[in-house]
Amino acid sequence: STQSTWELEAIVLQKPFSLCGALQADKDARAVRSFFVERTEGPVRERFARLVQITTLLCVEKVSDVYDLWGDAGGGGGTGRLTFRLTTPEVRQVLGLRTEFDPTAIAALKLK
């Protein structure tokens, strides 16, 4: 499953997404994770953590919603709802995949 997550992550990070596409990618990533959870033993959920976080970020409605996940401006690293496995540059890269997000707004995020 580790190889699968790396490959899926690489594919997702190459594609632009609308909100509808992001919602479908999130649904698909969770379905793949569930498939592996049901059929293998071990820490499968951990292996899919980055992929699920990527698709979760893709699903935010506006750029500033990342603070609801990441934490208050500048908080980062788990002060929000998630303990992030993505770096600040990776968070910006993922948000940049959304076709309707302004790159200036993404650059202006205060993330540590």
Side-chain angles (χ1 to χ4, degrees):
S1 65
T2 301
Q3 183 68 28
S4 297
T5 59
W6 290 338
E7 291 173 10
L8 289 170
E9 186 177 320
I11 291 167
V12 168
L13 292 175
Q14 294 176 13
K15 305 281 184 192
F17 289 91
S18 65
L19 177 57
C20 290
L23 292 170
Q24 185 64 51
D26 187 56
K27 180 180 174 183
D28 293 345
R30 292 172 192 276
V32 170
R33 181 184 66 179
S34 293
F35 172 85
F36 280 104
V37 165
E38 293 169 5
R39 287 164 180 78
T40 61
E41 294 181 20
V44 175
R45 290 184 193 277
E46 282 295 313
R47 293 182 187 143
F48 279 86
R50 280 180 52 89
L51 180 62
V52 169
Q53 287 181 3
I54 288 168
T55 59
T56 299
L57 276 172
L58 286 171
C59 290
V60 297
E61 291 186 29
K62 56 186 187 278
V63 174
S64 62
D65 287 349
V66 73
Y67 294 131
D68 294 339
L69 302 171
W70 185 266
D72 292 333
T79 58
R81 193 167 61 87
L82 300 172
T83 300
F84 263 74
R85 301 208 179 354
L86 303 173
T87 64
T88 300
E90 289 172 327
V91 169
R92 291 182 196 283
Q93 177 189 3
V94 170
L95 292 173
L97 297 173
R98 282 287 297 279
T99 57
E100 63 269 40
F101 286 170
D102 179 12
T104 306
I106 295 169
L109 288 171
K110 293 180 180 6
L111 305 172
K112 288 186 181 180

